[in-house]
Amino acid sequence: MKTIKFNNYSIYERGNSWYIYVPQKITGKTIRTSLHTSNQTYATQLARKFFQDLEGIKTKDTNSFINNAMDFLSVNNNPLHREYMNRCFIPFFSDKIGNKAKINDINKLTNSDILKYIDYRRKIPSQRKNNNQNIPVKPTTIIRENNTLRTFFNWCYKNERIKKSLVVPTIKAKENVFDENGNPIFDDLSGKRSNFTPDEIKKIFQTLLKEIKNEVNRHNKRRKILLYYYIHILFATGLRMCELRNLNWNQFIPEYKSGGLLKDVYNSKQHQKRDVALSPHIVKLMTKLKRHQQNFCINHNLEFDENKIKIISICNCNLETNTYSIRQVKELDNGFRRLLNRCGFEHLNKKVLYSFRHSYISTLIEQKTPIINIAQQCGTSIKMIENYYNQSSHLTNMDALFIPYPDFDKAI
């Protein structure tokens, strides 16, 4: 069989006609079509014209996963979607499935193919460094990746790329598995979060205050000051980070029963609201933070709306565009981890911002605070506190547990 190869395609003679061949990597699907001529020179001219026309429409008439993914990324600016598509999904669904027909037609993908991807992803070791051990990828990472996949299939369905939207399975961040001692085994392998000792908390605040004093960059200084307020409030209230970041200033009620109150704190786990008590020290601290944000708004002609401005907000100045804003901070976890590193603490994902909540609950238990009050303050259940926190501290003063008992010996 006579064949003539060009850069991106080739033509070959078969019987009384010439045929054009375009490989899959060019268009997303293999093309074989007759040129309806036995003349080699005329066949070459037709092939060149055919390929020139094909270059303008090669991505429009294909149902391959790659081309649909590229179309999806062209209209979606989320950097995580772009990262997960290029790093995870395009390589897997292009090479790992094994059935080439599914790659060429996205409509032939099934839910079982999604399950294959999840099983494949669980086996890839995490890139986190932990004594050179091959630690599996955390379920929370796979959950974030699956959100991209779910968004992609919904987009394909809305744009009529696929006939029905595929169901991406839900993954639990924690498995209900227990070891021989009855302790829960967490699937993310990070183990139980450790409490901060009083000395560690003291060093964290001292280090942060010293850095704030010596910081020259105004943006970094404002962010470190906000982190200082952030961890102070977490340490003294037992709030979850997501709860604190979603609070507006209109929910802050100072001078409430000689302390203060955070009103209607929403607990997404129990789908209900609760009031959180504040100590006088935290009320003074939060009042100072509020005054700082108010002064920033006054100095830059911004409206300070207590119903909209979040308590944990950063005051931004863009000197290049001469614009100012005050906006909610979505997370301060990375800055806190770097702070722990500068303090010289070995944390390895076991001492995080959430550890302040554990320290708060443990401290209240040591102070013999009734568990029902702790549960109401922290938005959790009495059963959780009894299962996960040491209750032996109530034995430190055993005499107080003994009740007066009638003397029956005299009646014997």
Side-chain angles (χ1 to χ4, degrees), residues 21 26 29 36 42 73 118 150 188 266 316 339 349:
Y21 170 76
I26 303 300
K29 62 181 180 180
H36 304 288
Y42 186 53
L73 294 178
I118 295 175
R150 186 180 291 107
D188 64 359
Y266 181 69
N316 278 335
L339 175 61
N349 207 34

Side-chain angles (χ1 to χ4, degrees), residues 196-214:
F196 286 110
T197 64
D199 291 338
E200 288 175 337
I201 293 174
K202 184 178 180 181
K203 187 171 184 179
I204 288 172
F205 285 125
Q206 288 178 344
T207 303
L208 190 53
L209 285 173
K210 185 177 180 181
E211 291 179 352
I212 291 172
K213 184 178 180 180
N214 299 328

